Amino acid sequence: MVAAVLDVVLIVAFAAIGRASHSESHPVLESAVVAWPFLVGAAAGWAVAVGVRRWAPASLRAGVPIWVGAVVIGMVLRALTGRGVAVSFVIVATIVLGVFLMGWRVMVAGWQRRMRS
């Protein structure tokens, strides 16, 4: 449960940071509009990684389909709803979501390794 909440918070933070950089008049509303496709994509990744494959939610193995789902499904949903999918945005979203969704998992894996030794 903690892993899911952390993923949601980080995806919303990604959207909020992006909206803040564009000086939106309604940053909270615009952040929600930006975040929802990526949240749906991450949920699909969660369904595969944790629901079907039964991987530990905080594992690197689970993080990959969650990250890929967030980016790929998120971009498809953005395109289907008339939102922008410019190449530069796809690149930035892929990198930032990768750092966010995989980064904390890398730290957990390192901490677990240290605790075992």
Side-chain angles (χ1 to χ4, degrees):
M1 183 65 170
V2 172
V5 170
L6 190 52
D7 284 346
V8 168
V9 166
L10 291 169
I11 291 169
V12 171
F14 155 73
I17 292 166
R19 295 314 332 153
S21 72
H22 293 286
S23 303
E24 295 294 323
S25 58
H26 300 289
V28 174
L29 179 60
E30 280 296 315
S31 293
V33 170
V34 170
W36 81 263
F38 299 104
L39 292 168
V40 170
W46 264 81
V48 169
V50 179
V52 175
R53 303 295 298 188
R54 305 244 187 252
W55 292 328
S59 71
L60 293 172
R61 183 181 294 182
V64 172
I66 294 166
W67 170 32
V68 171
V71 172
V72 173
I73 294 171
M75 290 302 171
V76 168
L77 290 173
R78 282 181 61 86
L80 291 174
T81 58
R83 304 291 294 183
V85 289
V87 173
S88 59
F89 178 66
V90 174
I91 292 168
V92 168
T94 301
I95 292 168
V96 173
L97 289 173
V99 169
F100 280 11
L101 298 176
M102 295 302 293
W104 72 264
R105 287 176 168 88
V106 168
M107 289 189 286
V108 167
W111 178 78
Q112 289 174 336
R113 218 175 357 262
R114 280 190 195 87
M115 297 306 291
R116 282 192 297 258
S117 43

